[in-house]
Amino acid sequence: MTLGAASTQRRVASARAHGPLVWQRTGTIGTELVLRDDAAPGVVTGSAVVGGRDPYTTRWHADLDGSWRVRALTMTCEGSGWRRNLALARTPDGPWTCGGEQSGKPEAPPAGIDDPARIDDAGLLLVTDSPIFLTWAMRSLKLTPGAAATTTPVVRIRMPWLTVVPGRATFQQVSDNRLRVTGEGPACTYDLDAEGIVTYQAGRLRITP
């Protein structure tokens, strides 16, 4: 492979990790669409419609740094008679800030977190059933196939209520096309394509052509 061809492949892989990408939910009816903002490098937007017992729609806007870490994220999630808003942001030398708003469904957990100081400054953002965030975490951690597992602070956003839960997760790229994540509940295994994009999770989601 020539130097020019390798450089082109890297650019294509980088662009694809910003979208456009579409995943179908297989555990319920639902679809997520991820798009890049061509006018603002590093800015990615996503939207999803999810069915089930309490159907909802969600929209998010993420700003990534050069190391594939999310430095700002805003989300809106709403269903019948309720709505949640979330805003998370961090600076290279400062802590995370977090704001949440909610209306309707008073028995549901509030959006955000009661004390943003609980969030580790180095935490990687993970959004429930949004696989692009796993791909970004892999790239930020510079995972390689067959290498030892890596444990890191994470910031989990639980859907649909946008509850923020700090914690830790262990990532391991067990092969060229397989990722294993542990740290909250049972271990999860994901299929990957050649660029490290999450393509499949049994019983949960799969990417569309």
Side-chain angles (χ1 to χ4, degrees), residues 23 29 32-33 60 76 87 99 101 103 114 134 146 148 161 170 198:
W23 285 270
I29 298 172
E32 181 173 29
L33 170 66
W60 54 261
T76 297
E101 298 176 342
S103 62
D114 56 351
L134 291 168
W161 311 121
T170 299
V198 173

Side-chain angles (χ1 to χ4, degrees), residues 81-142:
W82 61 268
R83 181 184 178 95
R84 297 286 187 275
N85 294 312
L86 177 70
L88 277 164
R90 66 175 175 83
T91 61
D93 301 318
W96 285 90
T97 60
C98 179
E101 298 176 342
Q102 54 276 325
S103 62
K105 290 278 187 180
E107 73 279 7
I113 188 171
D114 56 351
D115 181 10
R118 293 169 50 205
I119 304 175
D120 193 300
D121 294 354
L124 298 176
L125 284 184
L126 301 176
V127 177
T128 302
D129 290 333
S130 189
I132 193 64
F133 288 85
L134 291 168
T135 290
W136 294 340
M138 287 179 58
R139 293 190 173 197
S140 179
L141 295 170
K142 299 180 180 179

